């Protein structure tokens, strides 16, 4: 009964946020690219309803002109992958950001793709969205990827976040990277304004977690490998929500550093979890801490059973269904977890009624 009361209270608060969000207006025309890698590929058999139009609130400092480019300094940059299997989640994530942003016209989405032409789908769902498609060649990482505890973690597009500094225009100096299995229930500009200080990335840290479990016994027994954390106080962080200083990333060549650990993994098998451990090896202990409210993660359960989980204590700005259980699959199967009801209002999948 106590759990139901807590859930009911959160649900009411979430609905209040939705009602108060500036979701009644429109964006300026989208900017998008057509990569030669994307032309001529078969369309996806997916259909999404058109999102309601949005417009900046009066309080916004400026309204970008209709011909806004990616280099406009007033923009908030958000990067998300558009993977075929997670496309429904990605669309819901974008929808949630727009619903809760006070200045949605100032948000620019960088969509990372590798399989098919999704430009027309995005434009039909969000007709006036600021966005651009970036082709990520799977061959860049195919020979670097090792088997993981869950096959979904082995997909090349999971590693596109490693190359944002190369994929995005040099004028883009900061970006928020978000996974596809989350919704934002707060103004994304608050996350954008996070101070990184002298750090390259910012993310919520979880120093109470058992950090040793993210690497094999062989790794910890090798003094040279384990010495990578010497002089640091490493904490676990989830790479599904990060604020990244792309200027520093480019300056210090972090993509190559991550690749080096992936090469070591291929020969020495030092971890079991996909794209996360290389980030921990490079950045753990050197992360600008962000409030936990910006990544209420683990709502998808563990990497095997995907069982239902409750929220962590504290305020919520972002809900993240990391783990094997995804809300759209559980809802479709008529076996949802209670918190999946918070994801459902942002789902645009299916034809308009």
């Amino acid at each position: 009964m106590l759990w139901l009361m807590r859930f009911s209270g959160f649900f009411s608060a979430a609905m209040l946020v939705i009602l108060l969000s500036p979701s009644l207006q429109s964006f300026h025309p989208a900017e998008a690219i057509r990569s030669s890698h994307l032309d001529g590929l078969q369309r996806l058999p997916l259909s999404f309803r058109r999102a309601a139009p949005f417009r900046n609130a009066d309080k916004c400092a400026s309204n970008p002109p209709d011909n806004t480019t990616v280099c406009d300094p007033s923009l908030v940059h958000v990067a998300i992958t558009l993977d075929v299997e997670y496309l429904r989640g990605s669309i819901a994530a974008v929808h949630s950001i727009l619903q809760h942003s006070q200045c949605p016209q100032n948000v620019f989405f960088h969509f990372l793709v590798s399989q098919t032409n999704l430009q027309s789908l995005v434009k039909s769902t969000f007709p006036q969205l600021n966005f651009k498609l970036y082709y990520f060649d799977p061959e860049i990482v195919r020979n670097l990827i090792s088997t993981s505890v869950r096959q979904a973690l082995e997909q090349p597009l999971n590693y596109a976040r490693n190359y944002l500094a190369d994929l995005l225009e040099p004028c883009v100096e900061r970006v928020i990277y978000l996974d596809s299995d989350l919704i934002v229930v707060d103004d994304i500009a608050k996350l954008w304004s996070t101070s990184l200080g002298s750090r390259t990335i910012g993310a919520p840290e979880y120093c109470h977690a058992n950090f040793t479990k993210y690497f094999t016994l062989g790794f910890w027994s090798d003094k040279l490998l384990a010495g990578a954390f010497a002089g640091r106080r490493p904490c676990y962080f989830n790479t599904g929500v990060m604020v990244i200083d792309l200027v520093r990333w480019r300056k210090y060549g972090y993509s190559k550093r991550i690749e080096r650990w992936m090469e070591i993994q291929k020969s020495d098998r030092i971890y079991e979890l996909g794209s996360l451990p290389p980030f921990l090896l490079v950045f753990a202990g050197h992360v600008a801490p962000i409030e936990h409210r910006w990544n209420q993660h683990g709502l998808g359960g563990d990497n095997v059973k995907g069982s239902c989980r409750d929220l962590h204590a504290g305020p919520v700005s972002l809900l993240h269904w990391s783990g094997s259980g995804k809300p759209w699959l559980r809802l479709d199967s008529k076996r949802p977890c209670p918190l999946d009801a918070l994801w459902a209002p942002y789902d645009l999948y299916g034809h308009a009624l």
Side-chain angles (χ1 to χ4, degrees):
M1 182 61 68
L2 179 61
W3 188 95
L4 288 174
M5 291 175 63
R6 185 164 70 246
F7 172 73
S8 176
F10 174 77
F11 187 84
S12 298
M15 292 302 102
L16 180 61
V17 171
I18 293 172
L19 290 172
L20 294 177
S21 63
S23 58
L24 302 176
Q25 302 110 24
S26 67
F27 297 109
H28 54 289
E31 175 191 359
I33 60 171
R34 293 182 179 273
S35 168
S36 59
H37 298 280
L38 304 175
D39 291 339
L41 294 179
Q42 188 176 12
R43 279 189 169 189
L44 290 174
L46 296 176
S47 177
F48 292 89
R49 299 186 302 277
R50 178 174 294 187
F54 298 82
R55 183 184 301 129
N56 279 0
D58 292 338
K59 63 178 290 185
C60 299
S62 63
N63 288 311
D66 289 345
N67 60 348
T68 295
T69 69
V70 68
C71 294
D72 189 313
S74 69
L75 296 174
V76 171
H77 296 276
V78 178
I80 302 178
T81 61
L82 296 184
D83 181 271
V84 172
E85 294 187 15
Y86 288 83
L87 186 58
R88 190 168 167 186
S90 298
I91 295 297
V94 173
H95 192 204
S96 72
I97 292 170
L98 300 177
Q99 281 274 356
H100 295 283
S101 175
Q102 290 289 315
C103 306
Q105 290 177 273
N106 293 72
V107 182
F108 196 102
F109 290 90
H110 304 264
F111 293 123
L112 312 177
V113 301
S114 63
Q115 296 183 7
T116 189
N117 189 349
L118 296 167
Q119 178 174 306
S120 60
L121 186 149
V122 174
K123 290 191 71 172
S124 64
T125 307
F126 304 105
Q128 295 161 305
L129 187 69
N130 294 311
F131 77 94
K132 192 170 183 177
L133 301 184
Y134 299 79
Y135 178 76
F136 177 71
D137 187 354
E139 297 305 316
I140 292 175
V141 294
R142 198 175 300 281
N143 292 330
L144 293 172
I145 297 175
S146 302
T147 56
S148 182
V149 295
R150 185 157 55 92
Q151 188 174 8
L153 300 177
E154 301 171 20
Q155 299 306 309
L157 202 55
N158 281 342
Y159 296 84
R161 74 192 81 185
N162 303 3
Y163 301 93
L164 283 168
D166 300 319
L167 292 168
L168 274 55
E169 289 81 355
C171 64
V172 180
E173 299 183 348
R174 169 184 282 223
V175 69
I176 297 171
Y177 175 83
L178 299 176
D179 272 351
S180 300
D181 52 357
L182 55 77
I183 56 172
V184 177
V185 293
D186 203 345
D187 193 337
I188 195 72
K190 297 178 183 177
L191 181 59
W192 175 256
S193 64
T194 298
S195 173
L196 300 183
S198 61
R199 304 303 190 188
T200 301
I201 69 170
E205 292 184 292
Y206 303 90
C207 296
H208 62 279
N210 180 8
F211 189 80
T212 60
K213 72 177 183 180
Y214 294 101
F215 301 94
T216 63
L217 290 176
F219 171 85
W220 293 113
S221 62
D222 187 311
K223 292 184 178 180
L224 183 61
L225 293 175
F229 293 114
R232 291 195 260 170
R233 296 183 60 186
C235 295
Y236 163 75
F237 65 94
N238 181 283
T239 54
V241 179
M242 296 185 290
V243 180
I244 305 174
D245 183 333
L246 295 176
V247 175
R248 288 183 60 86
W249 187 293
R250 294 170 181 128
K251 179 179 180 180
Y252 295 105
Y254 284 113
S255 295
K256 291 298 183 183
R257 298 191 193 189
I258 290 173
E259 282 184 345
R260 178 55 184 148
W261 281 114
M262 293 175 69
E263 291 168 353
I264 293 174
Q265 161 72 354
K266 292 289 287 188
S267 60
D268 294 347
R269 193 67 184 181
I270 58 176
Y271 55 80
E272 304 291 342
L273 277 176
S275 61
L276 168 64
F279 264 84
L280 296 179
L281 285 159
V282 173
F283 292 109
H286 296 308
V287 175
I290 293 176
E291 289 183 273
H292 288 177
R293 67 189 303 152
W294 285 105
N295 196 352
Q296 284 269 352
H297 68 290
L299 303 184
D302 58 30
N303 282 307
V304 179
K305 297 181 179 179
S307 54
C308 297
R309 290 186 177 176
D310 198 358
L311 290 170
H312 306 294
V316 179
S317 292
L318 183 151
L319 296 96
H320 187 186
W321 279 261
S322 56
S324 61
K326 303 306 173 189
W328 56 92
L329 296 177
R330 297 194 296 214
L331 287 164
D332 284 354
S333 69
K334 309 301 182 184
R335 298 171 62 185
C337 292
L339 291 177
D340 295 344
L342 297 179
W343 181 88
Y346 304 98
D347 185 18
L348 293 173
Y349 179 67
H351 294 285
L353 297 177

